[in-house]
Amino acid sequence: MLELKLSESRDLTRIERIGAHSHIRGLGLDSSLEPRGVSEGMVGQTQARKAAGVILQMIKDGKIAGRAILLAGQPGSGKTAIAMGMAKSLGLETPFSMLSASEIFSLEMSKTEALMQAFRKSIGVRIKEETEVIEGEVVEIQIDRPAASGMASKTGKLTLKTTDMETVYDLGLKMIEALGKEKVQSGDVIAIDKASGKITKLGRSFSRSRDYDAMGPQTKFIQCPDGELQKRKEVVHCVTLHEIDVINSRTQGFLALFTGDTGEIRAEVREQIDTKVAEWREEGKAEIVPGVLFIDEVHMLDIECFSFLNRALENEMAPILVVATNRGITAIRGTNYKSPHGIPLDLLDRLLIITTQPYSEDEIRKILDIRSQEEDVEMAEDAKQLLTKIGHETSLRYAIHLITAAALNSQKRKAKTVEVQDVTRVYSLFLDVRRSTQYLMEYQKEYMFNEASMVDGGEDDNVDTMHD
């Protein structure tokens, strides 16, 4: 008997990718900004998280602009995780843009223009406008279709009611199509924008809750609107200053937002937009929402970019700037001078510095537990202990990389859980930095362009060895 194997059908409505920080849900703070031990994917770094929580409160209040924060710490101590936690805690209303410092040099525009665009992307404008809306419960929809096709267009009548009144509206072809598209039926509570004719389905009326025996989980029941059918409603649109810049800078500005071909925007355009937004603020039509700009690996910026940041932070339309670095005392790019974190002293003086501490063995264990859950890997207790020891002696990032590799090795054995032998196997297959360096030291004569194989002539005195 031939047995057919049907492949499992998977729901592909959203892309599910497990990234380095996909387990971060927030900063893990309580209402009084005190950090919890393990919460929202965050482990340890209590002082740094508490400081980030204070900054977060400052951003939410939206009163202070142009503040800058530096997250400094050794590699793998959770600097980017804290920045991601801040982004998640802020929500969708507050703009949060991220970029790596090296991106500035690879864009098809000047360095200062790229930084200015990043600044403008991080400032939101909440624009308020009043629109007339017809809101009510649908009593009846009558659509008259002509007997002979093509002779005349469809016509119809829509009966809407509130608790106080009931009105019949004549429908044109566009409104009939819009009602059909939204699948509106009697008993639905709808809102019609008078200016654009857009129909929004708000839910079903409670009076019709017993019409069907079964309902889908997405069905929402609401009360029948009261008062008059026609109402004036305040609608709020949230955009960033950069989006306004792009739309006003070129004829096809709106399309440029989708293609990404924004190019350089003239200073005059920005000045006009700033003046207009200031007018709207005074009239009460708009509200500025200062967001966050996060620049990772900030030591990769050069002296020109740092000078620009100094000036840009003084502007009243500046966002909160969060930068991160893992460098100690190192040269400022573009100069021969050395400075802490590779940042000029005048900019360092503006920064509030948050330091991250190395993780303890217990914290590494908790992080590995969270990552195992995120990557859907079942691991035996002794395998977790071994992986924790590896993470403590080598690096946390190396231990995290071994989780999926060990899971694949256990699948090969047709085992359901990862055992010690799987971790040991992948540990021998993939080297960490220390073992790789030892290997290079032993076999460096076999490699090209190494110190030992260079011609004796004092040349090897000029060779700089890199230390992480």
Side-chain angles (χ1 to χ4, degrees):
M1 184 85 179
L2 187 67
E3 196 176 309
L4 288 172
K5 280 192 177 179
L6 294 173
S7 62
E8 286 183 25
S9 65
R10 296 180 64 193
D11 183 18
L12 295 176
T13 50
R14 63 193 178 100
I15 300 166
E16 290 182 1
R17 297 276 293 176
I18 298 165
H21 299 103
S22 56
H23 62 286
I24 305 291
R25 311 271 184 268
L27 280 172
L29 303 172
D30 60 19
S31 55
S32 59
L33 299 182
E34 284 296 323
R36 301 187 194 99
V38 181
S39 178
E40 295 180 329
M42 297 294 281
V43 176
Q45 303 297 356
T46 51
Q47 286 296 105
R49 277 160 56 200
K50 194 172 180 178
V54 173
I55 300 297
L56 200 68
Q57 199 59 46
M58 192 167 76
I59 297 162
K60 282 179 179 174
D61 290 346
K63 300 277 190 293
I64 302 165
R67 292 297 168 95
I69 294 96
L70 170 66
L71 295 168
Q74 65 185 58
S77 59
K79 297 181 294 297
T80 312
I82 288 170
M84 291 292 288
M86 285 174 78
K88 292 282 170 72
S89 300
L90 281 170
L92 298 172
E93 284 287 297
T94 309
F96 186 99
S97 47
M98 291 181 80
L99 80 153
S100 179
S102 50
E103 282 178 48
I104 301 289
F105 301 96
S106 57
L107 296 168
E108 293 176 356
M109 59 183 84
S110 65
K111 294 177 283 190
T112 51
E113 175 64 21
L115 279 170
M116 180 52 90
Q117 287 194 13
F119 262 67
R120 306 275 288 187
K121 279 178 191 169
S122 308
I123 303 159
V125 183
R126 207 179 273 132
I127 302 163
K128 300 168 189 168
E129 64 173 359
E130 277 198 345
T131 55
E132 284 207 351
V133 178
I134 298 167
E135 194 175 281
E137 182 189 327
V138 179
V139 179
E140 191 182 13
I141 303 172
Q142 284 180 335
I143 295 167
D144 303 322
R145 292 177 177 83
S149 59
M151 290 290 287
S153 59
K154 294 180 196 171
T155 56
K157 283 183 167 56
L158 170 69
T159 311
L160 286 177
K161 71 162 188 178
T162 64
T163 51
D164 298 353
M165 61 187 290
E166 188 172 310
T167 311
V168 180
Y169 293 94
D170 289 325
L171 299 174
L173 186 62
K174 277 192 175 178
M175 287 299 287
I176 291 168
E177 283 177 2
L179 287 165
K181 198 176 176 184
E182 289 291 325
K183 296 186 176 67
V184 174
Q185 56 185 4
S186 59
D188 288 342
V189 178
I190 61 167
I192 304 168
D193 188 337
K194 275 190 83 175
S196 62
K198 188 188 172 195
I199 295 171
T200 312
K201 206 163 155 183
L202 303 173
R204 278 192 69 77
S205 174
F206 273 118
S207 60
R208 299 295 189 101
S209 59
R210 297 186 183 275
D211 280 12
Y212 303 103
D213 292 337
M215 291 279 183
Q218 69 278 6
T219 308
K220 192 169 86 174
F221 288 103
I222 57 173
Q223 293 286 358
C224 178
D226 54 359
E228 292 202 5
L229 275 163
Q230 287 198 36
K231 295 184 178 86
R232 289 188 74 83
K233 278 207 166 181
E234 194 177 71
V235 182
V236 179
H237 306 284
C238 293
V239 289
T240 65
L241 277 180
H242 176 66
E243 286 166 354
I244 303 172
D245 291 347
V246 173
I247 290 165
N248 288 282
S249 67
R250 42 181 57 206
T251 50
Q252 297 292 321
F254 187 67
L255 292 172
L257 282 173
F258 297 99
T259 58
D261 179 26
T262 53
E264 299 214 4
I265 296 161
R266 297 194 319 278
E268 303 88 69
V269 174
R270 289 201 172 111
E271 280 173 22
Q272 287 170 7
I273 287 162
D274 287 350
T275 310
K276 193 70 187 167
V277 169
E279 277 177 30
W280 288 345
R281 278 175 72 187
E282 283 174 17
E283 291 168 15
K285 285 183 183 175
E287 190 184 324
I288 297 289
V289 186
V292 181
L293 171 60
F294 175 60
I295 304 176
D296 209 354
E297 309 292 334
V298 74
H299 52 266
M300 292 302 292
L301 293 179
D302 63 8
I303 192 74
E304 293 168 31
C305 294
F306 287 128
S307 301
F308 175 81
L309 285 179
N310 253 332
R311 177 70 192 86
L313 284 169
E314 290 172 357
N315 192 342
E316 64 170 21
M317 297 284 256
I320 303 282
L321 178 68
V322 180
V323 296
T325 181
N326 55 21
R327 298 296 161 100
I329 295 167
T330 185
I332 302 165
R333 188 171 175 174
T335 69
N336 295 323
Y337 299 108
K338 288 196 171 184
S339 174
H341 312 295
I343 300 169
L345 290 172
D346 57 343
L347 183 59
L348 264 179
D349 197 34
R350 290 176 184 270
L351 300 173
L352 291 168
I353 302 171
I354 300 171
T355 55
T356 54
Q357 305 301 322
Y359 287 112
S360 67
E361 202 164 332
D362 187 42
E363 286 167 352
I364 289 170
R365 168 65 191 264
K366 286 171 184 170
I367 293 166
L368 291 172
D369 280 344
I370 291 166
R371 288 303 302 179
S372 298
Q373 283 176 6
E374 183 72 15
E375 295 176 28
D376 204 15
V377 174
E378 280 190 43
M379 199 173 283
E381 192 62 33
D382 48 357
K384 279 182 185 173
Q385 285 174 4
L386 176 59
L387 205 56
T388 306
K389 194 180 176 189
I390 291 167
H392 187 63
E393 290 177 3
T394 58
S395 74
L396 174 64
R397 284 175 180 163
Y398 175 68
I400 287 169
H401 287 321
L402 292 186
I403 294 172
T404 305
L408 291 169
N409 196 71
S410 70
Q411 280 177 23
K412 192 180 169 189
R413 296 190 297 108
K414 293 185 172 56
K416 287 185 179 178
T417 55
V418 173
E419 304 288 344
V420 172
Q421 64 190 74
D422 300 312
V423 178
T424 313
R425 170 89 175 132
V426 292
Y427 179 73
S428 61
L429 284 174
F430 305 106
L431 302 182
D432 58 276
V433 178
R434 194 179 297 166
R435 284 184 296 155
S436 181
T437 310
Q438 283 175 355
Y439 181 84
L440 282 177
M441 298 294 280
E442 285 175 34
Y443 296 99
Q444 64 177 334
K445 289 181 183 177
E446 310 298 326
Y447 286 83
M448 292 176 70
F449 308 118
N450 63 75
E451 288 183 48
S453 64
M454 291 181 78
V455 180
D456 294 335
E459 287 182 65
D460 44 350
D461 292 339
N462 300 324
V463 178
D464 290 333
T465 54
M466 281 185 70
H467 297 287
D468 190 3

